[in-house]
Amino acid sequence: MGSECIEISTKQGKLRGLIRESDGLSKITFCSFLGIPYAKPPIGKLRFKLPETVERWEGVRIATKEGNDTLQKHMLLRKIVGDEDCLYLNVHTTQQGIKEGKKAVMVWIHGGGFTSGSGSSELYGPDFLIEEDIVYVAINYRCGVLGFLSLENDKLPGNLGLKDQVLALQWVQNNIESFGGDPKNVTIFGESAGGASVHYHLLSPLSKGLFHKAILQSGTTLCQWAFQPKPREKALLLARELGCDSQDSDTILEFLMGVPAIDLVKAEDMVVLRTEKEIIQKSGRLFTPCVERNGSHPFLTDYPRKLMDRGEFHKVPIIMGINDKEGMLSLTRGAVHCDQVNSDLSLMVPVNLAITPDRNEESRLGKEILQFYINSESLTWDTVPQYLDLLTDVGFAIAQENSRQYFLKHQTCPVFNYQFTYCSPRALSSFMLRKGTPNKAAQFTGLGASHGDELIHLFKTNMPELPFTPPTEDDQIFMRKLLKAWTVFAKTGNPNFEGLASSWEPDDINNPCYLEMGAIWQCVKGVSFTERMAFWEKIYEKYSYLY
């Protein structure tokens, strides 16, 4: 993998990393420092506790191997991997020590629905980004029940995984100069739950001053899968399924402290903890961020929608956007259950819509929704492509549109909006479609850009089950633009660069626009999915948002 690098010093002690050659669009030499602990292991008495700063170590710590992933059911392989001891990060840089011309820093927050994922090079190898002359940091944080359980009390108010991220960002502020990075020029970026995490940091008082720009890829706090409105209720359900019937929070916490971590992770899959609607809409994430009603230093003080509406967020330059066929994610996790949908059209009504719990009213609205998308009263495999647009909107696009409106209403910093439409045979969805619905994969390949399909253009995969395929000539042309836009934005706050054929104009509340990122990049006037967003605006005006 490489030979030893020159040792560097951090506030916690000395590190010895690796000298490597990138395997991207060009070849450069860079250094990787892997498995750096930014917090004490959250195990034993520290389970369900705030992350604590790691103590100094003596001598030189070997930083040539990545740290443990959070304990999880792997989002692609569907097997249990990782460890409770997971609070590590990786730093990749071409520059050693504090010199003139410190580099822009990009901190990656991984996705995985707040239940899985990691910052490792398995999916997020540094080779492409590092060639653009930035310092790249990838972090791990606690996920699932270990990171987002809340009893809505002082002892466990919730959001531990996000507080892990805060401590990692504080570590960057304290140490990144040692790697040639500029602590005053930090961009946080993430996809899916990582994009929502970036948005949560924009809302949190704990994150103030820890970053200076933000990129939200296919995820905001307003996505219905990114927030849990009744966390204590879910915690009690979990405890009961594991054998504790108590309603007392202290008793439940003591019980869960003693449950083997692997049993906690396995329990997240229990169907009884989700409603049928949550399962169908892929929004049944059990343990996700929540409002903190208790605790002395809350990460999230109110509902995200209320904070956004009041303009209570950090004002920094933003890139935000989604992929045109996000809903294909449902196909990559197994077949669409047409019969189930047809037998109960209320399953089409969004989870966060404040509709009276009346099955007849929900079914009527579900019928209206299905009619709008597929022009039929029942779902068949012939109309699944249109149904995927519905899942795109319910899972991502409505929240994206709401978020951009709030941002543009309150801030003067530029917001650059995009829609990703580029299709590649190397895309993550190609692998996932073959795995999830092998008999239907050919029908949907090339239909559009699914959830996560931009990732293989930003990162090099290093996963045996997902072998790295060199980018095609078309891919290379596309990647050069995408990598340049992201890294130029990190350096300057503006993603435009010489060689970008179509100027990427900042979005505007009165004159909306977005950059379509396809085989050709072009600035489009208006909002993404105009007719579909107008349809949902009327529905939410009538019933309003539940949260």
Side-chain angles (χ1 to χ4, degrees):
M1 189 176 182
S3 59
E4 286 186 357
C5 206
I6 298 173
E7 295 169 6
I8 67 164
S9 294
T10 70
K11 297 288 178 64
Q12 276 71 43
K14 292 184 177 180
L15 291 169
R16 182 179 301 149
L18 293 167
I19 292 179
R20 307 167 61 183
E21 185 178 75
S22 64
D23 185 16
L25 301 180
S26 56
K27 303 289 184 183
I28 67 164
T29 299
F30 71 103
C31 289
S32 291
F33 298 87
L34 309 175
I36 304 170
Y38 67 84
K40 295 178 182 176
I43 58 177
K45 292 181 179 179
L46 294 184
R47 178 191 282 184
F48 300 131
K49 297 292 193 299
L50 287 171
E52 296 184 6
T53 302
V54 70
E55 295 171 349
R56 279 190 58 86
W57 56 78
E58 297 297 325
V60 180
R61 182 184 177 92
I62 305 302
T64 58
K65 182 181 177 182
E66 292 180 323
N68 301 321
D69 296 349
T70 182
L71 192 65
Q72 63 185 280
K73 189 172 185 179
H74 195 284
M75 59 180 159
L76 298 184
L77 307 180
R78 311 310 293 163
K79 63 181 181 180
I80 302 292
V81 298
D83 196 282
E84 268 196 280
D85 174 9
C86 63
L87 300 185
Y88 299 92
L89 54 78
N90 305 319
V91 182
H92 308 276
T93 181
T94 56
Q95 181 173 307
Q96 294 302 296
I98 303 170
K99 302 176 182 177
E100 282 189 37
K102 289 175 284 192
K103 299 181 187 298
V105 181
M106 299 187 73
V107 180
W108 176 250
I109 304 176
H110 69 77
F114 294 106
T115 64
S116 61
S118 83
S120 77
S121 59
E122 182 182 67
L123 283 180
Y124 308 119
D127 300 70
F128 302 153
L129 282 167
I130 201 67
E131 293 177 349
E132 295 295 332
D133 199 33
I134 51 95
V135 177
Y136 167 54
V137 182
I139 66 175
N140 289 352
Y141 55 95
R142 283 174 284 182
C143 291
V145 62
L146 294 166
F148 293 96
L149 185 75
S150 170
L151 289 167
E152 298 186 62
N153 64 1
D154 289 339
K155 290 185 178 178
L156 189 52
N159 297 328
L160 289 172
L162 290 167
K163 292 167 185 174
D164 293 342
Q165 296 175 18
V166 169
L167 193 61
L169 291 174
Q170 289 173 345
W171 184 94
V172 168
Q173 286 297 305
N174 292 332
N175 292 285
I176 207 64
E177 280 188 316
S178 297
F179 302 86
D182 184 355
K184 295 180 180 179
N185 192 10
V186 175
T187 298
I188 54 175
F189 69 133
E191 183 267 347
S192 192
S197 293
V198 170
H199 193 181
Y200 274 115
H201 288 295
L202 286 165
L203 301 180
S204 177
L206 302 187
S207 308
K208 183 177 176 61
L210 297 180
F211 63 94
H212 312 93
K213 306 174 195 72
I215 303 176
L216 294 70
Q217 300 170 213
S218 302
T220 79
T221 63
L222 303 186
C223 293
Q224 57 182 22
W225 47 261
F227 180 79
Q228 54 172 333
K230 298 178 180 178
R232 188 174 186 277
E233 191 176 290
K234 295 287 190 185
L236 265 61
L237 272 173
L238 174 76
R240 190 179 69 194
E241 289 301 312
L242 288 170
C244 176
D245 291 324
S246 176
Q247 299 287 306
D248 177 69
S249 294
D250 287 347
T251 303
I252 290 170
L253 182 57
E254 184 179 357
F255 170 77
L256 293 176
M257 286 287 288
V259 174
I262 195 167
D263 291 340
L264 292 174
V265 172
K266 288 178 178 177
E268 293 175 23
D269 266 354
M270 291 180 179
V271 175
V272 71
L273 301 180
R274 295 172 173 85
T275 66
E276 189 178 17
K277 186 186 288 188
E278 286 174 335
I279 294 170
I280 289 291
Q281 295 181 16
K282 309 298 181 187
S283 62
R285 300 300 183 187
L286 289 181
F287 304 105
T288 53
C290 64
V291 177
E292 293 176 54
R293 304 297 185 194
N294 305 86
S296 56
H297 299 287
F299 178 90
L300 188 66
T301 58
D302 204 345
Y303 287 90
R305 192 175 303 278
K306 291 182 178 180
L307 293 170
M308 292 292 288
D309 190 38
R310 296 196 299 263
E312 294 178 18
F313 55 85
H314 308 310
K315 313 302 192 293
V316 300
I318 291 170
I319 287 177
M320 63 185 302
I322 57 174
N323 300 353
D324 65 331
K325 289 288 182 182
E326 301 275 4
M328 281 174 64
L329 175 69
S330 63
L331 290 175
T332 66
R333 293 178 175 169
V336 171
H337 303 291
C338 296
D339 292 342
Q340 194 175 2
V341 171
N342 291 330
S343 65
D344 185 1
L345 294 181
S346 70
L347 297 174
M348 296 299 90
V349 178
V351 174
N352 67 350
L353 190 70
I355 188 170
T356 306
D358 178 332
R359 184 52 64 93
N360 291 330
E361 174 69 359
E362 280 200 300
S363 295
R364 185 205 62 75
L365 181 55
K367 182 178 180 180
E368 179 186 343
I369 292 168
L370 209 59
Q371 181 77 32
F372 174 80
Y373 279 88
I374 68 174
N375 197 27
S376 173
E377 294 180 5
S378 61
L379 178 64
T380 67
W381 271 102
D382 289 335
T383 54
V384 162
Q386 291 77 33
Y387 173 71
L388 297 180
D389 289 339
L390 167 59
L391 295 181
T392 296
D393 295 346
V394 170
F396 303 92
I398 299 169
Q400 159 83 9
E401 176 58 19
N402 288 175
S403 298
R404 65 166 285 279
Q405 287 185 24
Y406 285 130
F407 281 132
L408 295 174
K409 177 183 175 183
H410 290 291
Q411 77 169 39
T412 54
C413 294
V415 176
F416 297 93
N417 202 0
Y418 73 86
Q419 184 186 128
F420 186 96
T421 64
Y422 184 72
C423 294
S424 167
R426 299 169 53 245
L428 194 60
S429 63
S430 297
F431 167 80
M432 294 294 286
L433 281 169
R434 293 193 300 272
K435 191 177 178 66
T437 49
N439 59 328
K440 301 287 185 182
Q443 179 183 348
F444 295 99
T445 298
L447 186 66
S450 180
H451 190 64
D453 274 358
E454 80 277 21
L455 296 175
I456 53 110
H457 305 296
L458 290 169
F459 305 101
K460 180 179 180 290
T461 57
N462 295 280
M463 186 177 164
E465 296 82 1
L466 186 62
F468 173 69
T469 305
T472 64
E473 189 173 335
D474 286 343
D475 284 352
Q476 290 184 43
I477 293 170
F478 181 87
M479 289 168 65
R480 283 193 171 91
K481 287 190 285 191
L482 183 63
L483 289 162
K484 186 66 74 175
W486 258 226
T487 54
V488 167
F489 174 78
K491 295 170 186 177
T492 68
N494 185 333
N496 287 281
F497 59 91
E498 189 176 347
L500 181 62
S502 177
S503 176
W504 190 351
E505 299 173 17
D507 203 353
D508 186 277
I509 195 72
N510 297 314
N511 297 292
C513 65
Y514 63 89
L515 185 72
E516 181 184 343
M517 295 177 171
I520 297 173
W521 286 31
Q522 55 187 346
C523 199
V524 180
K525 297 296 183 182
V527 301
S528 292
F529 319 127
T530 306
E531 290 183 11
R532 284 148 53 184
M533 292 304 98
F535 171 78
W536 284 108
E537 186 177 9
K538 290 179 181 177
I539 289 177
Y540 278 100
E541 276 182 0
K542 180 177 180 180
Y543 296 103
S544 80
Y545 287 89
L546 186 60
Y547 55 84

